[in-house]
Amino acid sequence: MAAVEFFYEFASTYSYPAAMRVEEVAAKAGVTVRWRPFLLGPIFAEAGWTTSPFNLIPAKGRNMWRDLERITADLGLPFQKPDPFPQNSLTAARIATSLPDDGKRAAFSRELYRMEFGEGLSITDAEVLGRALTAAGVEPATALVAAGSDQVKQALRATTEEAKAKGLFGAPSLVTADGELFWGNDRIEQAVAWAAKGGSA
Amino acid sequence: MAAVEFFYEFASTYSYPAAMRVEEVAAKAGVTVRWRPFLLGPIFAEAGWTTSPFNLIPAKGRNMWRDLERITADLGLPFQKPDPFPQNSLTAARIATSLPDDGKRAAFSRELYRMEFGEGLSITDAEVLGRALTAAGVEPATALVAAGSDQVKQALRATTEEAKAKGLFGAPSLVTADGELFWGNDRIEQAVAWAAKGGSA
């Protein structure tokens, strides 16, 4: 079965609508989604950025928030800007990395995005993370301990390195089996169509 | 009749497919397109950029060229990367500004984009500019002289200032009568729908 890798970052605004709709778009085309949490921070740092480009260029940031408001309204998703932005996504990414990609990782990720950008909650808050884990059917205490292991830390670093090697510079991004890169929530349909046409991973 | 302002920059890659399809999308919704050539250079300079962000972030640039290749293939448009990139767009923008927005400005702009990103030709070349003018039904020598007038230079500066005041930070961008800003070739449909629904300019 054709597959597409969905690279997402918990601090990334457009990853929110993307995470909420990628499975539906892929399912319609018979494509499997591989959920690949990674960190943009190390990639942005190489560009000399110390925060989100949406903060560095205020006009770009204003448009992004308004655009996200329109997109979530169209999708019937709640929207609330988190403060501060961007949120520190390290713990969330480690937790997602530690979960099996059998539906639990996706369920946790969607619930956390809904809390972050739908309710404006802090994703560094252990109680918030715990609620997202519970919603995904995972026992929070066990998951939080597992997420702190050296193995998980190393796995997340490896995914981030892999993302960079595949040419990623932003999130969300989708990569097909033949290495074709698609950037952004706007490119989910094209990436899935590409995977369905030729890719098998 | 509802209208949408189409702000475009001749050095901007995504302005090429946008210029080629905006009239068709707008016509289907009964929306009029106002062609507003402007310069991104002065806006980028305020962000501290001395060239295109696609050159400043190589991974972003590689993805953009590949993405543009896919987009133009889908639209059945020719594609050829111009060298150097970005092209100096000052003279082209002045010429477009000098032409009446009665179809001639749009026709010249589309033809010049086709030559620049479809054939890879230089838009600083007077012969290239002349061919685009002729294709638009405009006498080249007269237009080239008119484009150098103080009035036209001032009008282009005013459009660029207006674009900045409206929150533009990239091209293409579309603005509706109520001031709603939509950025990118990907947002033409949403901008036109917004204009058709409520805007009248």
Side-chain angles (χ1 to χ4, degrees), chain B residues 168-184:
Chain B
L168 269 75
F169 56 92
S173 291
L174 299 101
V175 181
T176 58
D178 57 350
E180 193 75 9
L181 170 65
F182 297 83
W183 172 49

Side-chain angles (χ1 to χ4, degrees), chain A residues 14 47 49 57 59-60 63 66-67 70-71 74 167-169 180-183 186-187 190 194, chain B residues 14 47 49 57 59-60 63 66-67 70-71 74 167-169 180-183 186-187 190 194:
Chain A
Y14 287 106
W49 299 341
I57 314 289
K60 194 180 173 80
N63 173 74
R66 180 65 176 142
D67 192 45
R70 290 188 303 242
I71 289 171
D74 282 348
L168 270 73
F169 57 91
E180 191 77 10
L181 170 66
F182 297 83
W183 172 48
D186 291 322
R187 291 288 176 279
Q190 288 88 337
W194 193 283
Chain B
Y14 287 106
W49 299 342
I57 315 289
K60 193 179 173 80
N63 172 75
R66 180 65 176 141
D67 191 44
R70 292 188 302 243
I71 289 171
D74 282 349
L168 269 75
F169 56 92
E180 193 75 9
L181 170 65
F182 297 83
W183 172 49
D186 291 323
R187 291 289 175 279
Q190 288 88 335
W194 192 282

Side-chain angles (χ1 to χ4, degrees), chain A residues 60-104:
Chain A
K60 194 180 173 80
R62 279 190 294 274
N63 173 74
M64 178 277 289
W65 289 114
R66 180 65 176 142
D67 192 45
L68 194 66
E69 200 177 352
R70 290 188 303 242
I71 289 171
T72 51
D74 282 348
L75 294 171
L77 294 172
F79 171 69
Q80 179 76 46
K81 183 177 168 176
D83 180 25
F85 173 80
Q87 294 274 302
N88 184 322
S89 55
L90 180 60
T91 305
R94 284 180 179 162
I95 293 173
T97 300
S98 77
L99 298 175
D101 192 12
D102 62 357
K104 286 195 177 64

